[in-house]
Amino acid sequence: MKLAIVSPYPPEISGVGQYGARFSQGFARIVDQVAVFANRVKGAPALDRLDGVTVHRVWDRDHVAASPSIVRALHQWKPDAVWFNLGLSMFGRSRPHNFFALTAPMLTRASGLPTIVTLHEIFEAANLQALGAANGRLTHWGGRAATRMILQADTVCFTLQSYLQIIQRQYGKRNTAHIPHGVYDRPHFSSLPDQKQILIFATYAPYKGLIDLIEIFKNLRDADSAVQLTIAGSDHPRFPGYLADVRSRYNDVDGIEWRVGIPEHDLPSLFKSARVVALPYTATTGASSVAHRAAAQGRPMVAYDLPDLRTSAAEDRLQIEFVPSGDKESFANRLRELLDDPTRCEIIGRANVAAMQSMTLEMMCHRYLQVFEQAIKRSDPLAVIKPSVNQDA
């Protein structure tokens, strides 16, 4: 199979981009050819070969020509199938730029290429005000119109079963599939650290709750000087400079380690260094890759009780310690309880690792492969699909 993937790609750091990169690398082990059609990034070559994947940088954020640039590049490469790895705001910071770019799956399918989409967030479940996005009639019209366009693909996949059910109920579409988020690294429990270490890892925006967590940490630290906090990650593409601004305000707080722009290969050891992972989000956009990373490394989590996180925990059997949304005192108390009870942390961590054993990257890639092959056969019933290589990889 000759597979084309449309997705952001490193060195840019984003949740959707990391998902696309890791799955691209996974697909490269089980199909003949994989090419990613990514956004242009300053300092990154227009054509590169990374981890068995050919990367073509063919579209720009915040540019009205993103969609035709993508479709043109796909037809020049002539893939057997195209997988769009999409977030609703991944093409830019403005509604028009995102709307016009989201026509790309529909146009790709209309041009005759089997087209599969993974939609990580849906407008119908988003709290736009909490996410810092416009929330008027035009936004609602555009969001629903964009969803209808995306649903013109052969198959639209969701990492949350609840999202699939919402789309089926509101749009009456059945060309949908549920493929759980899965984990990027093989699930493995490592011994908990001796230190009372809290970790937050994110692409930062106001709704990720970083300031709340720092204030919570300061109170915990006042009561117990052994408590430490690691702040790791980078800015959300929609909020450039946010992390630097927060750091300038809190850089003198004792006990905080700032790890900005940590490379992907260091993330397993980062999570292993924590006793507890904090998810103080005030809003979410789909399944949390951070929650799945923490689960795969056997770490307990404390989170505000938000619908997406609660649903993801139930669907994927994650053990997350939930507290009422916005209740900072309860969040602090739950962190303190876990930090002071490593035995409980280990019990939760081992349960999370066990849950992730059935959601490895290899397993999820093979589930996608079945969807790709079905789309190819529907497009051309006479098509002969060569057996994939390294099926046991």
Side-chain angles (χ1 to χ4, degrees):
M1 181 188 297
K2 191 176 180 182
L3 177 64
I5 298 171
V6 179
S7 174
Y9 205 84
E12 177 192 280
I13 298 175
S14 69
V16 173
Q18 295 305 109
Y19 184 93
R22 295 303 294 271
F23 272 83
S24 298
Q25 294 156 16
F27 291 135
R29 294 192 285 270
I30 60 174
V31 303
D32 301 307
Q33 294 183 63
V34 174
V36 177
F37 295 81
N39 55 310
R40 295 186 179 95
V41 177
K42 186 176 180 180
L47 179 64
D48 203 0
R49 180 81 175 169
L50 300 167
D51 301 308
V53 177
T54 302
V55 181
H56 305 258
R57 299 196 179 271
V58 301
W59 53 274
D60 294 290
R61 287 189 183 277
D62 299 301
H63 200 287
V64 293
S67 178
S69 297
I70 290 168
V71 176
R72 187 183 312 113
L74 290 172
H75 274 274
Q76 289 174 349
W77 198 63
K78 296 181 175 59
D80 296 315
V82 182
W83 176 50
F84 282 85
N85 174 50
L86 294 184
L88 292 178
S89 61
M90 79 179 207
F91 290 105
R93 281 180 277 175
S94 77
R95 289 173 296 174
H97 286 133
N98 281 300
F99 181 83
F100 287 119
L102 289 170
T103 64
M106 177 181 68
L107 297 176
T108 300
R109 180 65 190 92
S111 69
L113 292 175
T115 304
I116 302 90
V117 173
T118 294
L119 192 56
H120 290 273
E121 53 190 322
I122 61 172
F123 168 80
E124 293 73 13
N127 183 339
L128 298 179
Q129 185 174 1
L131 292 170
N135 190 20
R137 290 183 179 179
L138 182 60
T139 301
H140 280 263
W141 176 88
R144 291 185 66 83
T147 301
R148 289 190 181 95
M149 292 190 302
I150 291 167
L151 286 168
Q152 300 306 306
D154 289 283
T155 305
V156 181
C157 304
F158 301 93
T159 57
L160 289 177
Q161 180 75 26
S162 61
Y163 280 10
L164 179 146
Q165 293 168 348
I166 290 170
I167 294 301
Q168 288 184 343
R169 184 169 62 249
Q170 294 195 18
Y171 295 90
K173 288 285 195 175
R174 293 295 182 268
N175 60 326
T176 52
H178 170 231
I179 297 180
H181 187 286
V183 292
Y184 305 148
D185 301 299
R186 192 164 295 279
H188 175 72
F189 180 82
S190 298
S191 298
L192 292 162
D194 295 332
Q195 296 79 15
K196 295 182 179 181
Q197 189 79 36
I198 303 166
L199 169 67
I200 179 172
F201 173 72
T203 51
Y204 291 96
Y207 61 86
K208 294 299 179 75
L210 177 58
I211 291 175
D212 273 7
L213 181 62
I214 293 174
E215 294 297 336
I216 289 169
F217 167 74
K218 288 166 62 179
N219 291 331
L220 291 173
R221 177 92 176 176
D222 287 343
D224 184 353
S225 61
V227 178
Q228 302 171 55
L229 171 64
T230 298
I231 299 171
S234 59
D235 286 330
H236 189 288
R238 285 178 50 226
F239 296 90
Y242 178 78
L243 188 55
D245 179 62
V246 175
R247 184 171 184 175
S248 69
R249 294 166 57 185
Y250 292 99
N251 207 31
D252 61 344
V253 176
D254 290 336
I256 295 180
E257 178 188 17
W258 299 83
R259 299 190 65 179
V260 179
I262 183 169
E264 175 77 14
H265 59 78
D266 285 345
L267 293 183
S269 60
L270 174 74
F271 279 87
K272 290 173 186 176
S273 71
R275 185 175 290 187
V276 182
V277 176
L279 309 173
Y281 312 149
T282 57
T284 53
T285 55
S288 169
S289 63
V290 176
H292 287 80
R293 284 184 186 272
Q297 299 301 329
R299 293 305 179 254
M301 294 163 269
V302 178
Y304 284 133
D305 195 351
L306 299 176
D308 284 351
L309 283 175
R310 175 69 71 171
T311 300
S312 184
E315 290 183 5
D316 296 344
R317 297 177 292 115
L318 302 178
Q319 291 200 19
I320 299 177
E321 299 287 300
F322 287 108
V323 300
S325 185
D327 188 340
K328 290 189 280 189
E329 183 177 354
S330 294
F331 202 104
N333 289 338
R334 197 62 57 88
L335 283 174
R336 184 184 296 110
E337 291 167 4
L338 288 171
L339 290 170
D340 289 341
D341 193 346
T343 300
R344 183 180 172 196
C345 288
E346 180 170 345
I347 292 170
I348 294 171
R350 288 189 181 279
N352 279 333
V353 169
M356 293 295 96
Q357 295 291 351
S358 62
M359 296 185 185
T360 65
L361 179 66
E362 292 82 2
M363 292 175 178
M364 297 304 104
C365 282
H366 282 290
R367 289 182 64 167
Y368 270 118
L369 190 62
Q370 294 175 350
V371 174
F372 299 159
E373 291 175 345
Q374 290 167 3
I376 293 170
K377 285 189 174 182
R378 282 196 301 269
S379 178
D380 181 2
L382 300 179
V384 176
I385 302 173
K386 293 195 301 181
S388 300
V389 297
N390 298 331
Q391 289 288 341
D392 296 326

